[in-house]
Amino acid sequence: MTTKREFFIRPLDEDDGAAFKALRLTAIAESPTAIWPTAEEEAARTPDAVRARIAQTASQAVFGAFHGAELVGIAGLRRETLAQVAHKASVWGVFVHPAWRKEGIARQLFMRIRAQAVEMGVLQIHLSVNAENHRAKNLYELLGFQAFGLEPRCMRVGVTFYDEVHMCLRLG
């Protein structure tokens, strides 16, 4: 019998900038077809840019899964700010360190994202996922997301193009 390891989820704050950047670099190294910036682009972000990226605002929240002080998972939510599209928000940057997968972290991050979206008055959440990432697509479908389109050649890594599936979860 495998025992689940303990973790907790909370919003990131400015003190988490270095850990966030390190985990993003791990994400790019582990899953270069799932994360848009290259390692060079992510590494070039200044500490101020990273802090701004994870700062909680009226239109954004970034959550981290922690085992003690170690950041092992991340997920962000960014709400549209224009009035006619303010009912929508996008999930971005979802990643769980490979050593922490199959612990329920991604599901718990999404529960926090969903709760945050409801608190913000969001009526639907959008995300995009590499069409070849079946594990992530299956999780999103289990969480209630439905595919509504395919963007061909959305990302190019080296000389290879990858399609992305656009998905939506209606909250209201």
Side-chain angles (χ1 to χ4, degrees):
M1 184 169 114
T2 305
T3 304
K4 293 274 185 182
R5 295 179 285 178
E6 290 188 19
F7 63 91
F8 64 94
I9 295 174
R10 67 166 173 79
L12 297 184
D13 61 37
E14 65 181 37
D15 294 334
D16 297 313
F20 174 82
K21 184 173 182 174
L23 191 55
R24 290 279 296 172
L25 288 168
T26 299
I28 294 164
E30 291 288 327
S31 305
T33 64
I35 307 286
W36 282 4
T38 64
E40 294 78 18
E41 291 166 333
E42 190 71 28
R45 291 186 200 269
T46 66
D48 286 342
V50 173
R51 281 191 291 277
R53 193 146 192 237
I54 64 173
Q56 187 158 350
T57 68
S59 61
Q60 173 177 284
V62 181
F63 293 94
F66 290 84
H67 174 68
E70 179 186 8
L71 181 62
V72 297
I74 50 177
L77 180 72
R78 187 173 298 121
R79 180 184 187 164
E80 298 292 337
T81 57
L82 299 174
Q84 292 178 326
V85 290
H87 65 286
K88 299 188 297 185
S90 297
V91 174
W92 63 274
V94 178
F95 180 74
V96 175
H97 192 285
W100 281 86
R101 292 185 182 154
K102 299 186 186 241
E103 299 280 342
I105 291 174
R107 182 179 298 273
Q108 290 301 313
L109 283 166
F110 269 94
M111 293 301 100
R112 287 299 297 271
I113 288 286
R114 182 185 176 120
Q116 182 69 29
V118 168
E119 185 178 311
M120 294 166 75
V122 167
L123 300 177
Q124 63 189 45
I125 302 172
H126 291 237
L127 59 78
S128 296
V129 59
N130 183 317
E132 296 177 17
N133 189 343
H134 301 293
R135 187 176 72 229
K137 281 192 330 189
N138 289 341
L139 172 63
Y140 301 151
E141 288 171 354
L142 284 171
L143 294 170
F145 283 84
Q146 295 180 327
F148 67 88
L150 179 77
E151 184 176 349
R153 296 172 56 143
C154 179
M155 176 190 279
R156 186 174 82 180
V157 178
V159 298
T160 305
F161 288 95
Y162 296 90
D163 299 345
E164 282 201 347
V165 177
H166 297 286
M167 303 183 86
C168 175
L169 173 66
R170 292 185 178 165
L171 301 175

